[in-house]
């Protein structure tokens, strides 16, 4: 597709379970970002990839959160031992290279609900 | 650290009314400033931006001017339409080579016919 694609769009899980969220960026975009948006808040930065490597993971809240991008395209955000406080919309965005233009192209997000 | 504060919503206006959504920022250095918009059922998209003091960003009838002296980047539109109903986010980029953005909490705009 032409835009950033995220799956699943909705995920309901139980506390303690493992979850994977997938992001397929715009073709040719080498930079990929994960953000988390809690209810009534703006998006909060989690992690940034340039190519295959995580260039900045300073926003990951703790070691239960991990993200990979093994081939420099699709990325997976992995959350272990989910907690109710992890409930949020997880947004993925991509951009061309590492140019500082501020233009991120966002997906529609994956809504995670932890019961 | 860097942060963005924007006015709380919801903002409810009648069609053709004048719109202002306030945004102020705290930052070290010289950030670039942005407004993003999220229409119902869609992903966030860039509305406009300004990269240095006194720059004016504009798009789709919206404008915002980068005011360093007041650390502000207020969004304005002279005549809103029902189709402008959305959530608007002010954001800044603290510099460097990445597009790592810091967002405000968002302001819901509802325009009534």
């Amino acid at each position: 597709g032409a835009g950033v694609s995220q799956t699943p769009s909705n995920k309901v899980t139980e506390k303690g379970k493992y979850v994977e969220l997938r992001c397929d960026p715009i073709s040719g975009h080498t930079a990929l970002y994960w953000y988390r948006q809690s209810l009534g808040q703006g998006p909060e930065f989690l992690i940034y990839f340039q190519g295959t490597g995580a260039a900045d993971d300073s926003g990951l809240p703790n070691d239960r959160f991990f993200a990979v991008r093994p081939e420099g395209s699709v990325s997976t955000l992995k959350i272990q031992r989910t907690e109710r406080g992890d409930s949020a919309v997880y947004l993925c965005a991509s951009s061309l290279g590492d140019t500082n233009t501020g233009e991120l192209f966002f997906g529609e997000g994956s809504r995670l609900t932890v019961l | 650290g860097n942060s963005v504060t924007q006015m709380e919503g919801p903002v409810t206006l009648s069609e053709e009314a004048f719109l202002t959504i306030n945004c102020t920022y705290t930052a070290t250095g010289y950030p670039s400033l942005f407004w993003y918009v999220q229409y119902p059922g869609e992903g966030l998209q860039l509305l406009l931006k300004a990269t240095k003091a006194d720059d004016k960003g504009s798009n789709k009838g919206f404008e915002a001017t980068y005011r360093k002296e007041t650390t502000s980047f207020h969004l304005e539109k002279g005549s809103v339409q029902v189709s402008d109903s959305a959530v608007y986010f002010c954001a800044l980029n603290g510099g460097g080579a990445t597009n790592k953005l810091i967002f405000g909490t968002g302001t819901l705009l509802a325009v009534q016919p």
Side-chain angles (χ1 to χ4, degrees):
Chain A
V4 176
S5 176
Q6 292 188 246
T7 54
S9 55
N10 276 286
K11 175 70 176 178
V12 180
T13 191
E14 293 179 344
K15 182 174 178 294
K17 299 289 189 184
Y18 170 81
V19 165
E20 288 190 352
L21 306 175
R22 174 189 166 106
C23 173
D24 197 344
I26 292 172
S27 178
H29 281 191
T30 59
L32 185 146
Y33 300 76
W34 284 99
Y35 283 80
R36 177 169 71 174
Q37 186 174 14
S38 301
L39 192 62
Q41 302 297 314
E44 290 179 283
F45 171 79
L46 295 177
I47 186 170
Y48 153 63
F49 287 89
Q50 179 56 42
T52 60
D56 183 346
D57 65 356
S58 61
L60 295 178
N62 52 58
D63 61 6
R64 295 187 298 106
F65 288 75
F66 189 70
V68 295
R69 195 185 184 200
E71 298 178 358
S73 178
V74 171
S75 176
T76 305
L77 178 65
K78 307 181 181 195
I79 310 174
Q80 298 178 321
R81 304 183 304 281
T82 51
E83 298 177 358
R84 292 195 180 88
D86 298 336
S87 297
V89 177
Y90 289 82
L91 300 173
C92 178
S94 68
S95 69
L96 281 169
D98 57 0
T99 54
N100 182 8
T101 65
E103 182 154 22
L104 301 184
F105 295 83
F106 282 85
E108 291 184 32
S110 293
R111 181 177 299 277
L112 174 65
T113 302
V114 182
L115 301 177
Chain B
N2 296 345
S3 66
V4 174
T5 302
Q6 60 181 107
M7 66 187 286
E8 292 188 14
V11 174
T12 302
L13 297 173
S14 297
E15 207 164 21
E16 298 183 3
F18 183 84
L19 168 71
T20 300
I21 300 178
N22 290 339
C23 171
T24 57
Y25 67 90
T26 301
T28 54
Y30 303 96
S32 295
L33 301 174
F34 309 88
W35 278 99
Y36 273 75
V37 59
Q38 187 170 30
Y39 298 104
E42 299 184 16
L44 280 157
Q45 56 187 272
L46 180 65
L47 178 61
L48 54 83
K49 69 178 185 181
T51 58
K52 60 183 187 296
D54 300 325
D55 267 3
K56 178 186 285 188
S58 61
N59 186 24
K60 298 182 181 180
F62 290 88
E63 293 183 339
T65 300
Y66 188 142
R67 302 282 188 202
K68 188 168 180 290
E69 63 275 13
T70 54
T71 62
S72 65
F73 192 55
H74 304 322
L75 183 68
E76 296 182 337
K77 186 173 186 182
S79 176
V80 294
Q81 305 300 312
V82 172
S83 57
D84 294 325
S85 298
V87 182
Y88 292 82
F89 293 90
C90 187
L92 67 79
N93 181 331
T98 77
N99 285 321
K100 177 181 171 181
L101 300 179
I102 296 168
F103 288 87
T105 54
T107 303
L108 173 63
L109 171 65
V111 180
Q112 298 175 337

